[in-house]
């Protein structure tokens, strides 16, 4: 019965976001205990630390682009828009168009890319992020970056990885090209 209810929850998510939840259904079907571990991980991924949606999704979107250029990215785009992040900002984050972003978001985009590249230049930006949002905000950004990398790894490991695809932000179609940029199409 519990698997039935959890599967209904997954189907609801699939319908709401037009997102393939088969990999989660496979985990649920194979091992209920593993699925509960997955749900516990969600609490880390959802931690906000008092941050508004835009900085959180700036980190999440840049992080997901390092490991995915399709369905997971589209899911986060849809969630960012649903959370009220303006489409122009979402597009600028994906395209890494720092000039089109407010300074605080441009810093997070740059910081996220530097962190993921293990570039010590992140050390120069971290104090600015900490002064703007405090330790809780920095932790939320760290959790956002870290957690977004789990989903593509999980999907690809289980055989559900997808090839790159276009990402739609409202009416604009973007094609993520690599971890440092995207192009409009």
């Amino acid at each position: 019965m519990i698997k039935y209810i959890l599967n209904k929850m997954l189907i609801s998510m699939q319908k709401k976001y037009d997102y393939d939840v088969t990999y989660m259904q496979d985990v649920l079907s194979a091992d209920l205990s593993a699925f509960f571990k997955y749900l516990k991980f969600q609490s880390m991924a959802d931690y906000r630390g008092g941050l508004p949606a835009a900085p959180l999704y700036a980190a999440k979107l840049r992080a997901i682009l390092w490991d995915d250029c399709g369905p997971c990215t589209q899911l986060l785009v849809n969630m960012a828009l649903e959370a009220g992040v303006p489409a122009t900002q979402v597009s600028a984050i994906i395209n890494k168009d720092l000039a089109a972003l407010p300074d605080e978001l441009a810093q997070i985009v740059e910081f996220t890319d530097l962190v993921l590249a293990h570039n010590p230049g992140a050390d120069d930006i971290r104090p600015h992020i900490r002064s703007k949002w405090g330790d809780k905000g920095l932790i939320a950004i760290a959790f956002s970056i870290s957690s977004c990398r789990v989903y593509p790894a999980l999907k690809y490991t289980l055989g559900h990885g997808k090839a790159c695809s276009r990402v739609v932000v409202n009416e604009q179609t973007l094609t993520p090209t690599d971890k440092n940029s995207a192009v409009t199409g």
Side-chain angles (χ1 to χ4, degrees):
M1 182 63 164
I2 188 76
K3 282 186 177 184
Y4 175 80
I5 293 168
L6 291 169
N7 190 54
K8 285 291 206 187
M9 176 188 75
L10 294 175
I11 292 169
S12 175
M13 177 189 176
Q14 180 169 307
K15 289 178 184 175
K16 180 177 182 178
Y17 294 109
D18 189 27
Y19 179 72
D20 183 5
V21 297
T22 307
Y23 76 100
M24 291 183 273
Q25 289 173 318
D26 286 354
V27 172
L28 175 61
S29 176
D31 187 345
L32 183 60
S33 176
F35 188 79
F36 281 130
K37 299 281 187 206
Y38 172 81
L39 289 180
K40 286 180 183 179
F41 169 76
Q42 286 295 116
S43 67
M44 177 188 149
D46 292 339
Y47 179 72
R48 295 185 60 105
L51 285 180
L56 278 173
Y57 280 101
K60 289 179 185 227
L61 285 165
R62 291 308 302 171
I64 201 71
L65 286 169
W66 277 72
D67 294 308
D68 176 77
C69 51
C72 288
T73 302
Q74 185 65 59
L75 175 63
L76 282 177
V77 164
N78 295 345
M79 290 177 159
L81 295 171
E82 178 183 63
V85 181
T88 55
Q89 288 182 359
V90 172
S91 295
I93 291 164
I94 291 171
N95 287 327
K96 197 176 181 180
D97 182 0
L98 301 180
L101 291 169
D103 288 342
E104 61 201 29
L105 294 183
Q107 280 185 334
I108 290 178
V109 165
E110 188 64 27
F111 178 73
T112 301
D113 286 356
L114 291 169
V115 165
L116 292 169
H118 301 198
N119 185 317
D123 295 339
D124 297 331
I125 301 173
R126 188 176 301 102
H128 300 286
I129 292 173
R130 185 175 272 131
S131 71
K132 175 74 178 168
W133 288 296
D135 288 334
K136 286 184 179 181
L138 183 62
I139 291 166
I141 291 167
F143 282 5
S144 293
I145 292 168
S146 302
S147 64
C148 281
R149 304 203 72 197
V150 168
Y151 302 104
L154 180 63
K155 287 174 66 172
Y156 276 88
T157 301
L158 296 175
H160 293 279
K162 299 288 182 187
C164 293
S165 62
R166 294 177 181 258
V167 176
V168 178
V169 180
N170 284 350
E171 300 298 316
Q172 183 183 19
T173 301
L174 306 173
T175 305
T177 55
D178 64 31
K179 46 190 125 183
N180 295 313
S181 65
V183 294
T184 57

